[in-house]
Amino acid sequence: MKIKSHIPNAITLLNLLSGVIGIIWVINGNIVSGAYFIILAAVFDFFDGFAARLLKVQSEIGKQLDSLADLVSFGVLPGVILFQMAKVTTQIEWLPYLTLIVPLLSAVRLAKFNLDTRQSDKFIGLPTPANALFISTLPYFAIKWTWVGTWVTSPFFLVVIAWVFAILLLVELPLIALKFKSSSFADNKFRYALLLIGLALILLFGLAGIPLVIVAYLGLSVVENGMSTE
């Protein structure tokens, strides 16, 4: 029983380890590697909760440990990615530090999520993994579409991205959660649409398609909210 209860926490620590190694790699100049460590961390983040439910060993310490790991992997790591991207494209020494709003508001987002009872069926505000995936794959987006690459990697654009998406972490905007309570198309049409769009964009463009998937996620959520209030 004791060993079983530690399995989800061990997986959570692999999430944390992925984030820490990713930070080291990005600081050492390998900025594009950050996306791989965030994806790896997201896989561990999914399976720690899955393992806890499967083994029926959910615990408060597991919940808190998960948030601490997420802060590193989905808050600090994407913040460091933006910082390094801005640092290598500007001679204004203080400008890259403005991107560090991402880890700060990620911490607030995770703390709120632990206390918010409204987020069982939908997310309120952008989830930190989605934000991290968007930020970490911006370099691939810039490489894929070179005609927008110049302004995508502009330090001022990166600061704007940092602040806009950090604020999206906290806005009171209901967003789609991929939790299917039934297989009904009518009840899940926006979830199915998101999965199909996401799969198509990633198959077509690889990691460069992920920023487009996150934008589609936000757009579909806004449309769903608009239809639900009519």
Side-chain angles (χ1 to χ4, degrees):
M1 287 296 294
K2 288 185 178 180
I3 293 175
K4 185 173 75 170
S5 67
H6 290 301
I7 291 174
N9 291 345
I11 299 173
T12 300
L13 290 177
L14 292 175
N15 168 4
L16 176 58
L17 180 62
S18 301
V20 171
I21 296 175
I23 290 168
I24 293 170
W25 278 50
V26 171
I27 288 175
N28 286 337
N30 199 341
I31 297 174
V32 295
S33 68
Y36 292 104
F37 288 102
I38 285 174
I39 291 170
L40 185 60
V43 171
F44 289 130
D45 187 45
F46 170 80
F47 279 106
D48 65 1
F50 178 79
R53 291 188 295 271
L54 181 66
L55 299 173
K56 299 180 180 179
V57 290
Q58 294 102 321
S59 66
E60 187 60 30
I61 190 172
K63 180 180 178 181
Q64 300 305 321
L65 185 61
D66 185 69
S67 291
L68 292 171
D70 286 356
L71 176 57
V72 174
S73 298
F74 308 133
V76 178
L77 177 50
V80 171
I81 291 170
L82 282 177
F83 178 88
Q84 290 294 97
M85 289 178 67
K87 184 180 178 181
V88 299
T89 55
T90 184
Q91 296 181 341
I92 305 174
E93 292 187 3
W94 55 266
L95 187 64
Y97 289 94
L98 296 179
T99 63
L100 297 182
I101 190 65
V102 170
L104 298 182
L105 294 196
S106 294
V108 177
R109 156 75 191 181
L110 290 164
K112 286 183 62 179
F113 181 81
N114 282 347
L115 300 174
D116 197 337
T117 59
R118 301 171 297 164
Q119 302 197 46
S120 58
D121 297 324
K122 290 189 175 184
F123 293 114
I124 307 296
L126 185 65
T128 53
N131 186 47
L133 285 169
F134 177 87
I135 290 170
S136 65
T137 52
L138 282 177
Y140 294 89
F141 183 87
I143 293 169
K144 182 71 176 180
W145 289 283
T146 54
W147 59 278
V148 294
T150 302
W151 61 265
V152 167
T153 56
S154 160
F156 294 99
F157 177 81
L158 294 172
V159 169
V160 171
I161 284 293
W163 281 78
V164 168
F165 275 78
I167 291 170
L168 283 173
L169 294 170
L170 303 182
V171 294
E172 292 289 310
L173 174 65
L175 298 177
I176 299 167
L178 293 176
K179 298 177 181 178
F180 292 83
K181 291 187 175 181
S182 71
S183 59
S184 167
F185 177 80
D187 294 337
N188 298 290
K189 55 181 176 291
F190 287 99
R191 293 181 178 87
Y192 286 125
L194 178 60
L195 288 173
L196 289 173
I197 291 171
L199 181 62
L201 288 172
I202 292 172
L203 287 176
L204 285 171
F205 306 121
L207 293 181
I210 291 180
L212 300 176
V213 175
I214 304 303
V215 171
Y217 172 52
L218 292 169
L220 285 171
S221 296
V222 170
V223 173
E224 183 186 42
N225 292 331
M227 291 181 64
S228 64
T229 57
E230 290 179 356

